[in-house]
Amino acid sequence: MDFGLVLQTDPPASRVVDLMRRAERNGFTYGWTFDSAVLWQEPFVIHSQILAHTDTLTVGPMVTNPGTRTWEVTASTFATLNDMFGNRTVCGIGRGDSAMRVAGRKPHTLARISAAMKVIRALARGEEADLGGGTVVRFPWVRPGAQLPVWMAAYGPKALRMAGEEADGFILQLADPYLTASMVRTVKDAAAAAGRDPGEVTVCVAAPAYVTADDSPEALAHAREQCRWFGGMVGNHVADLVARYGEHSAAVPDALTDYIKSREGYDYSHHGRADNPDTAFVPDDIVDRFCVLGPAQAHIEKLRALRDLGVDQFALYDMHDAQEDVIDAYGTTVIPAVNAG
């Protein structure tokens, strides 16, 4: 199993780079950042520094969207980084939650994501792409052998099927084994139905991880409070699904949607932060299910279970009060144990 580190691009950018370097030394192979232009600093500028100060780390956004940049600009950015550093980027893409809503816009449709994935992937590989209206372009400077995998974030049934049919990878932002099994199965079945090899669709589960010294009630309670924000972030996407499909829909499992019934609103100024005041509605059992918490052995057991469900990468959200400690604990204990057994 691969391991990734996910960070927000809060200033100073040097700290983001330093944490990514620490992650690489500890056996992480991917470095991810948020991409929301109003809330955080521009990720691709920082990606260039991460790539320059690491040796093998693959870097990308978790996730970009089809609207805050034109598609040829996004493709050119990835292609430039790959030309400079040797095919070490991955394009994570989704509908655009915070990036669009903070700017007063709605998240994108699946049709727009589909079209954007095709254009961005083709241009970054040096192929021709139609930008719309019959305008076909190609980057003449992209060298042979250029690659850009495009991984799609998804929760709902239509999005899951599209990820299986069209994306190079599937990003699932929660670490609940029950939901992971169901969603991975939907993605893989869609890939097979589309004539693809399901094994070619990389599966990435992304969630906060917090390693505690023991499993005492006090230690676990602190870990939950540091990671409760994640249930609020996921709740934004779940609320969209409920609005589309209704409550207790056969299309979306209650195990995903039930917990947002007492959700009253969301202030994006606290998005992805441990002190988010809009996540009190998230119960402890959701934090435990969606995140990876507890002593190192609990992490090892849960990650092995996810791996056995077809997960290829665990991307660790590291937004809490123990950033270095968790990176080091994964490097010394969790990653070696998961990959040894």
Side-chain angles (χ1 to χ4, degrees):
M1 178 183 275
D2 283 323
F3 286 83
L5 184 72
V6 190
L7 298 172
Q8 295 167 336
T9 51
D10 287 315
S14 58
R15 175 161 173 78
V16 178
V17 176
D18 287 345
L19 288 171
M20 291 296 186
R21 294 178 65 192
R22 191 185 197 104
E24 184 180 56
R25 292 195 300 270
N26 276 282
F28 290 75
T29 53
Y30 282 76
W32 302 92
T33 69
F34 282 33
D35 179 13
S36 194
V38 174
L39 297 177
W40 300 287
Q41 292 185 329
E42 169 55 37
F44 289 109
V45 175
I46 298 172
H47 290 178
S48 69
Q49 291 298 302
I50 295 170
L51 289 163
H53 289 87
T54 57
D55 296 319
T56 60
L57 208 65
T58 296
V59 176
M62 187 173 284
V63 291
T64 193
N65 70 85
T68 50
R69 301 172 183 83
T70 62
W71 302 346
E72 69 273 18
V73 170
T74 298
S76 181
T77 302
F78 279 110
T80 301
L81 291 173
N82 282 336
D83 188 68
M84 293 172 66
F85 299 105
N87 288 339
R88 288 174 55 200
T89 68
V90 55
C91 176
I93 193 167
R95 296 178 63 230
D97 177 29
S98 63
M100 297 300 291
R101 287 181 164 126
V102 168
R105 308 181 187 114
K106 293 181 179 180
H108 299 282
T109 64
L110 293 180
R112 186 168 173 81
I113 295 175
S114 174
M117 287 198 300
K118 294 180 176 66
V119 168
I120 293 167
R121 181 195 290 119
L123 289 177
R125 294 178 177 180
E127 301 166 1
E128 290 186 344
D130 189 339
L131 298 180
T135 302
V136 177
V137 300
R138 182 181 67 84
F139 297 155
W141 46 269
V142 173
R143 288 186 262 188
Q147 294 294 323
L148 179 66
V150 179
W151 295 7
M152 179 181 164
Y155 291 108
K158 292 181 180 179
L160 292 169
R161 288 194 296 270
M162 197 175 92
E165 293 165 354
E166 302 182 23
D168 301 300
F170 160 50
I171 297 172
L172 174 58
Q173 291 169 312
L174 54 79
D176 175 77
Y178 172 77
L179 292 171
T180 297
S182 174
M183 294 182 183
V184 169
R185 184 167 56 250
T186 299
V187 170
K188 298 286 189 177
D189 287 349
R196 305 180 67 193
D197 178 357
E200 293 181 356
V201 182
T202 303
V203 176
C204 174
V205 159
Y210 198 102
V211 181
T212 60
D214 54 46
D215 59 358
S216 67
E218 295 78 13
L220 292 175
H222 180 75
R224 290 187 186 108
E225 289 311 309
Q226 288 295 305
C227 298
R228 197 175 304 276
W229 63 265
F230 185 66
M233 186 181 82
V234 174
N236 298 327
H237 304 284
V238 174
D240 288 344
L241 292 175
V242 171
R244 175 178 292 273
Y245 295 101
E247 293 185 6
H248 307 298
S249 167
V252 183
D254 289 348
L256 177 62
T257 61
D258 273 353
Y259 83 97
I260 69 161
K261 289 179 179 178
S262 58
R263 178 182 182 268
E264 295 181 352
Y266 193 84
D267 182 353
Y268 280 91
S269 65
H270 304 283
H271 191 57
R273 300 191 185 280
D275 61 353
N276 191 330
D278 297 321
T279 59
F281 73 93
V282 181
D284 286 353
D285 72 293
I286 287 292
V287 182
D288 292 346
R289 283 170 46 202
F290 284 13
C291 304
V292 186
L293 311 175
Q297 186 59 37
H299 291 244
I300 294 165
E301 292 171 2
K302 188 166 188 177
L303 293 172
R304 283 175 175 169
L306 290 170
R307 181 194 60 195
D308 292 344
L309 294 173
V311 175
D312 301 296
Q313 179 183 155
F314 176 61
L316 185 163
Y317 282 101
D318 202 27
M319 280 77 78
H320 46 57
D321 64 359
Q323 289 181 305
E324 289 91 348
D325 290 346
V326 170
I327 292 170
D328 293 347
Y330 264 64
T332 58
T333 305
V334 178
I335 293 175
V338 171
N339 286 333

